[in-house]
Amino acid sequence: MQRIRLRYTKRGRLRFTSHRDFQRAFERALRRSAVPMAYSAGFTPHPKVSYANAAPTGVASEAEYLEIGLAEIRDPQALRAQLDESLPAGLDITDAVEVRTPNFVERLEASEWQVRLDGVGQDEAAGAIALFLAAERVEVERLTKNGVRVFDARGAVAVLELLPPQVDSGPDTTAEGPRDVRTGRGCAILRLVVRHATPAVRPDDVLSGLRATADLAPPVPAEVTRLAQGPLDEETGTVTDPLALDRAAAPAGPVAAAEPRATASA
């Protein structure tokens, strides 16, 4: 069995798709592309697909990952292009590598996020960040299925900084619909790097911490995008590519791939 790791995105309006919505769309793409999937054993066989650390509903992402098992050998890049054509715009397969190394999930040590706070001034955001980072502990509450949980949002934050202001003067819509970036208005843009810990600290938890420490309350919901997830370089505060080890371990030369089957009807 050949295993392939894929990187995919959630962009534009598709950020509002739930993880289950994406699963259904991806399963349809597998059928449309006639991908020779490997299946589990037992009374109810299902295709071998595993997902890693999916972003919450309503959050855009440039760095989501999944792994599939194939019954036949395929070229990873040809498979990536084939699947990408079968998914709606906004759910894009951007990278593919053959699995060469174990413990992929353990490599997802941290996530880098961009948080856009429309209606928040630079000075206000800078002051709130300083107060948050100066605190040894910032307790926030989150409602879980087991009730309200209180935990520290500060300890997991490796980087929290204010980026230069941006104002987009272009049209407010594209052919696909409204843009994520609101035009003609300034906003505070935060770069946030959060270690993956237990309990998981999400961008909305950090925003709750900014509200608790500095009374920072944006007038509209924040626009959050995951830019990367993977190994964390503690010295530089950067998140590196989790697929790099698989690429480095790949043998030189082209992959011997079977001829693709004819495209199945949707």
Side-chain angles (χ1 to χ4, degrees), residues 205-230:
D205 298 320
V206 176
L207 291 174
S208 296
L210 290 170
R211 186 181 303 113
T213 56
D215 198 27
L216 181 68
V220 295
E223 292 182 1
V224 180
T225 302
R226 173 148 58 190
L227 301 179
Q229 63 172 322

Side-chain angles (χ1 to χ4, degrees), residues 3 5 24-25 29-30 39 52 67 69 83 90 112 117 125 127 131-132 138 190 197 201 216-218 256 262 265:
R3 292 184 296 153
R5 287 177 179 143
R24 285 192 289 262
L30 291 172
Y39 283 79
E67 182 179 308
L83 285 170
E112 178 182 355
L117 302 178
L131 289 172
F132 181 90
V138 179
L190 313 184
V201 174
L216 181 68
S265 58

Side-chain angles (χ1 to χ4, degrees), residues 38-156:
Y39 283 79
S40 63
F43 291 104
T44 56
H46 57 274
K48 290 194 172 182
V49 183
S50 58
Y51 299 87
N53 197 29
T57 303
V59 170
S61 179
E62 295 293 317
E64 302 297 289
Y65 294 94
L66 62 85
E67 182 179 308
I68 61 175
L70 304 181
E72 300 173 9
I73 301 298
R74 289 287 185 267
D75 175 71
Q77 294 309 315
L79 180 67
R80 183 209 66 76
Q82 193 177 7
L83 285 170
D84 189 49
E85 289 182 357
S86 298
L87 284 167
L91 299 178
D92 305 310
I93 309 293
T94 59
D95 203 355
V97 298
E98 185 170 2
V99 173
R100 301 284 181 180
T101 59
N103 305 322
F104 177 75
V105 174
E106 294 177 9
R107 280 179 242 161
L108 303 181
E109 297 174 346
S111 286
E112 178 182 355
W113 304 89
Q114 178 178 278
V115 183
R116 304 183 66 93
L117 302 178
D118 199 7
V120 175
Q122 294 289 106
D123 292 342
E124 183 183 7
I129 289 172
L131 289 172
F132 181 90
L133 294 178
E136 293 185 5
R137 181 180 178 86
V138 179
E139 291 190 344
V140 298
E141 294 183 350
R142 185 196 301 162
L143 181 62
T144 70
K145 62 181 180 181
N146 296 321
V148 176
R149 184 169 188 177
V150 179
F151 58 95
D152 176 29
R154 174 64 185 91

Side-chain angles (χ1 to χ4, degrees), residues 9-27:
T9 71
K10 291 200 307 177
R11 296 169 172 158
R13 289 182 175 178
L14 274 298
R15 69 185 185 275
F16 295 109
T17 57
S18 68
H19 181 56
R20 182 59 189 143
D21 291 334
F22 175 79
Q23 286 180 305
R24 285 192 289 262
F26 186 69
E27 289 167 5

